[in-house]
Amino acid sequence: SNGVTTAAGVLMEKPINIIYDFVPSTGLAATSSTDIRGVVDISKCNECHTKLEPHGGRIDTRYCAVCHNDQRKYGRAEATSGATATPPTTFTGSTYKIDGAAAGDLPAMVHRIHMGTGLSKTGYNYGGLLYEKIGYSMLDGGARMCSKCHSAAPQAANWNTKPSRLACGTCHDAVNFVTGVNHGTTANGGPQLDDKLCGSCHTAASIPINHYTNNLTPNNPVTPTGLVNFTYEILSATATPTTVAGGNGSDVAIKFRIKKNGTAVVLGVPVAGGLTATTTLPGFSSVPSFLLAWTLPQSQDGTSFTATTVPADYNNLAAANGSPFSSNFQPPTVALNTLTNTTNSTTVGVYGSPDSSGYYTATIINKFPLNAKMRSVSLQGYFTQVMPVSTPPTADVARHAVSVVKAVTGDTARRVAIDSNKCANCHEWFEGHGGNRVFEVQVCVTCHVPGLTTSGKGGTNNQISAYYPSFTANDKDSLSRWTGVDFLTSNPVAAYAASHASSPDIALTFPQTTNNFKDMIHGIHAGKDRTTPIRIARNRSGTQTIVDGLRIGFPGILNNCQSCHTYNGYNLPTTGTLLATREEAVNVAGNTTAALANSALALANANDLMTTPFTAACVSCHDSAPAQAHMKLNGGQIKIVRSSLATAGESCAVCHGSGSDFDPVKTHK
């Protein structure tokens, strides 16, 4: 009506924050780095967060600090807490003001967010965000790697040169500086009402030492005194027809080297009867192992062998007794000390003497099946260092090392879809299975194959009952929601068995899902953004691993596939046939007992529930009903009984193939 045309506000694609640092006494621009308050640079944040942009355009940590300062406590009530209790208890009510300080002050807020589940207290609630529910993605102890965030800024070294109650106390929240609880003795710690004496005990030299983790990684460049560090190498892997009489496969000669603190190790000399792990490398009580993976030509749904269909993924199938399904879909492992027995050198394997460069050649007998393709050898696992009782740490220490993988000479190597260095941006070193598989994704995919399914349904009642006290509160909450059985108030195993006489195994109520790498990782990273978050229950002799996607938040931009992938690693493969994913393993007679459910894991059963390969990759993120309908309309099949699976009908590549209008590389920018 006034002749003025207005348009709706649009967020800037590339906002900038203009900051002017000046000296208050003169008004002149600050020129020295010592005059500029900058302890974190946004580039370090974006290694995990991709493009951290809170409040619609704040992209500089110095800009964040303008608002997130100690003044945010004014007008706020002090949070109620059990701060003087031992151990500390729970905050209740408002936590905008804690122990007289602003919870929204930038260092306090960010430290608590990243400490997450490692916080001692519970009940933190700032702006509706429950800090103690957040899991930090760095490897074990990663929250101690202060340099992960504190580098690339003028005053990045403040974390170890200028300790303060605010900075340190928000991670170490069990400490009460007013009362001195959990802060040492009065003579060496105790109450501290200001920061004047912090540096007298916590020196620039001692703080990094106290924050070391055991693994030598980019943001943990020094390990505790006395610990050694290993690196693995495989120079070549050469397969030849097996030497075993009546054998039906290949032997493999592996040229490898292991370095300890940069120097090639000298392994124990093989003898009749073999060496123990302790004598294979003196001073260490465990050894790494070789992992041998392959694929056998098979039909896309896994119902039969074929001479022409070579999968694009490992399947680790092995034919025995005329059946192609006598495999647990897992590659065999051969521990290093297994190769020290000269008596079995022609039937199992052995290693010889090292060459002048420290390379050993190990021969492993008859592990690769006849007609296997895409064969590879990995070196994974770790040495455990035996520590003298008089030298801290007194307990033995696992010396994790980056796993390595090598394709057998002459074989086509599996495609590389993930850049392991990108995983390291958030995870530092990604460690799976207790540190046995470290960093290298090409090792992960040797085990996490299309036929692999989670094992939660296979736990016996005795196993689960024995393990029940070890379940965390979150584990119990997840199982209660997933199963409809109350795990929160008491151990429900006996009561469940009594009321389900025909099927008493409570594990049958546990979820089951694929462990195929691409589908599992997509589901985990999509986390709580999925319509139905992924549910993983893994059983290992009663030890239960519970992964609840509802509790997982991705710190970066979820549709930026290049956060993890190589440039075109999420395009459809151009060589090899993708296999259907097994979602659930179902015994031929049905999973009526935990024992039957467990046995079904090692077989390709007619009743297995399967998802076609292209669909499996997409539905593991895009799992809404409309998205699933779209996939099914274009030939995708989701959780179809294996015997009814049609694998040739997917037309995804028409629209989503490389170079097409909806190429994933285009649509996921």
Side-chain angles (χ1 to χ4, degrees):
S1 61
N2 59 6
V4 176
T5 301
T6 60
V10 178
L11 294 177
M12 297 178 65
E13 182 179 356
K14 296 181 179 179
I16 60 172
N17 296 161
I18 299 175
I19 297 171
Y20 178 72
D21 289 307
F22 65 95
V23 180
S25 61
T26 64
L28 298 177
T31 57
S32 171
S33 62
T34 59
D35 294 330
I36 297 174
R37 175 68 171 173
V39 297
V40 175
D41 188 272
I42 195 71
S43 65
K44 298 300 294 182
C45 305
N46 285 338
E47 287 181 358
C48 279
H49 296 287
T50 309
K51 188 179 180 182
L52 192 61
E53 198 174 7
H55 309 295
R58 315 287 168 79
I59 61 168
D60 191 305
T61 52
R62 292 176 297 166
Y63 207 75
C64 300
V66 171
C67 295
H68 285 280
N69 55 52
D70 194 51
Q71 295 187 49
R72 299 189 75 83
K73 69 186 180 185
Y74 293 107
R76 301 289 186 179
E78 178 74 29
T80 303
S81 77
T84 59
T86 304
T89 54
T90 303
F91 281 109
T92 58
S94 166
T95 54
Y96 282 83
K97 183 179 178 182
I98 300 173
D99 295 333
D105 198 355
L106 189 63
M109 179 180 71
V110 173
H111 282 186
R112 288 186 179 119
I113 288 173
H114 287 81
M115 195 66 178
T117 56
L119 290 165
S120 296
K121 295 187 177 73
T122 60
Y124 288 109
N125 182 352
Y126 186 74
L129 180 66
L130 289 169
Y131 294 161
E132 83 272 7
K133 301 294 185 184
I134 299 173
Y136 187 41
S137 61
M138 295 278 277
L139 82 155
D140 186 35
R144 300 165 65 183
M145 294 184 191
C146 305
S147 63
K148 170 63 180 174
C149 300
H150 293 289
S151 59
Q155 297 172 329
N158 275 17
W159 72 271
N160 66 299
T161 60
K162 295 184 178 181
S164 68
R165 293 166 302 151
L166 171 65
C168 302
T170 46
C171 277
H172 302 282
D173 66 330
V175 175
N176 187 308
F177 292 104
V178 175
T179 65
V181 169
N182 294 322
H183 193 234
T185 64
T186 303
N188 186 22
Q192 298 292 331
L193 302 183
D194 55 44
D195 299 335
K196 294 177 182 177
L197 297 179
C198 294
S200 61
C201 292
H202 305 285
T203 64
S206 67
I207 291 175
I209 293 173
N210 292 325
H211 285 78
Y212 288 162
T213 62
N214 287 337
N215 294 312
L216 191 69
T217 68
N219 289 293
N220 188 65
V222 180
T223 52
T225 301
L227 294 184
V228 301
N229 300 289
F230 290 94
T231 53
Y232 302 157
E233 303 173 36
I234 297 179
L235 191 62
S236 64
T238 306
T240 55
T242 185
T243 58
V244 174
N248 194 25
S250 300
D251 302 341
V252 60
I254 308 160
K255 192 170 185 178
F256 73 99
R257 181 169 65 180
I258 298 173
K259 288 185 174 181
K260 181 178 71 174
N261 291 341
T263 301
V265 302
V266 177
L267 300 172
V269 177
V271 296
L275 304 175
T276 64
T278 303
T279 52
T280 299
L281 186 65
F284 298 88
S285 60
S286 67
V287 296
S289 59
F290 293 107
L291 188 72
L292 283 71
W294 65 85
T295 193
L296 277 175
Q298 67 168 95
S299 59
Q300 195 175 352
D301 63 354
T303 57
S304 62
F305 281 132
T306 171
T308 57
T309 304
V310 178
D313 294 300
Y314 299 106
N315 58 19
N316 302 314
L317 293 179
N321 302 321
S323 169
F325 309 131
S326 59
S327 171
N328 65 355
F329 308 103
Q330 292 295 275
T333 59
V334 179
L336 195 59
N337 65 295
T338 302
L339 302 174
T340 62
N341 188 347
T342 56
T343 306
N344 297 327
S345 61
T346 59
T347 56
V348 178
V350 73
Y351 61 75
S353 301
D355 65 14
S356 59
S357 297
Y359 284 98
Y360 286 84
T361 296
T363 301
I364 297 176
I365 307 298
N366 198 34
K367 287 295 185 182
F368 288 127
L370 188 68
N371 298 322
K373 310 292 183 182
M374 205 166 69
R375 295 168 293 182
S376 72
V377 177
S378 303
L379 185 54
Q380 48 100 60
Y382 53 82
F383 294 100
T384 298
Q385 186 171 353
V386 178
M387 302 302 294
V389 294
S390 60
T391 304
T394 55
D396 294 349
V397 182
R399 307 308 304 127
H400 297 173
V402 173
S403 305
V404 294
V405 61
K406 191 75 172 179
V408 167
T409 301
D411 280 19
T412 299
R414 187 196 184 275
R415 71 192 185 283
V416 177
I418 299 295
D419 183 342
S420 300
N421 290 295
K422 290 183 176 180
C423 302
N425 284 336
C426 285
H427 296 289
E428 187 75 5
W429 273 8
F430 179 78
E431 293 191 353
H433 309 284
N436 280 295
R437 286 84 194 243
V438 177
F439 188 84
E440 180 53 69
V441 175
Q442 290 303 101
V443 175
C444 301
V445 297
T446 62
C447 295
H448 288 276
V449 299
L452 188 64
T453 306
T454 54
S455 55
K457 290 183 180 295
T460 67
N461 280 354
N462 285 341
Q463 289 173 337
I464 295 171
S465 185
Y467 191 69
Y468 179 83
S470 300
F471 280 129
T472 67
N474 284 345
D475 291 340
K476 294 175 183 177
D477 173 70
S478 296
L479 288 171
S480 297
R481 286 187 287 103
W482 295 349
T483 66
V485 179
D486 182 12
F487 278 79
L488 287 166
T489 56
S490 62
N491 186 344
V493 173
Y496 182 90
S499 61
H500 293 76
S502 61
S503 184
D505 294 319
I506 197 170
L508 293 177
T509 67
F510 288 11
Q512 191 175 77
T513 189
T514 176
N515 261 185
N516 188 26
F517 192 77
K518 65 179 173 63
D519 313 325
M520 178 183 69
I521 295 300
H522 284 180
I524 290 173
H525 285 82
K528 60 186 178 184
D529 290 311
R530 283 200 349 178
T531 301
T532 303
I534 195 170
R535 300 171 174 181
I536 296 176
R538 185 167 184 258
N539 174 61
R540 297 193 70 181
S541 300
T543 300
Q544 295 283 333
T545 299
I546 304 297
V547 178
D548 188 349
L550 187 64
R551 304 184 191 283
I552 299 172
F554 188 62
I557 300 173
L558 190 56
N559 69 345
N560 178 23
C561 300
Q562 290 191 46
S563 295
C564 305
H565 282 280
T566 58
Y567 173 72
N568 60 353
Y570 46 110
N571 256 326
L572 304 181
T574 56
T575 59
T577 300
L578 287 175
L579 301 175
T581 289
R582 183 172 71 171
E583 300 283 352
E584 296 186 27
V586 184
N587 187 276
V588 174
N591 290 340
T592 55
T593 67
L596 287 175
N598 196 54
S599 66
L601 296 172
L603 304 171
N605 311 281
N607 292 334
D608 290 341
L609 299 185
M610 310 290 291
T611 298
T612 46
F614 298 149
T615 299
C618 299
V619 77
S620 48
C621 278
H622 305 283
D623 71 324
S624 67
Q628 292 193 41
H630 168 78
M631 296 173 205
K632 292 176 181 179
L633 184 65
N634 289 279
Q637 293 182 283
I638 301 171
K639 293 188 177 181
I640 298 296
V641 173
R642 186 191 292 270
S643 59
S644 302
L645 186 71
T647 57
E650 287 186 309
S651 58
C652 308
V654 174
C655 295
H656 298 291
S658 179
S660 65
D661 288 344
F662 298 98
D663 181 340
V665 174
K666 297 178 183 178
T667 58
H668 288 80
K669 285 186 176 179

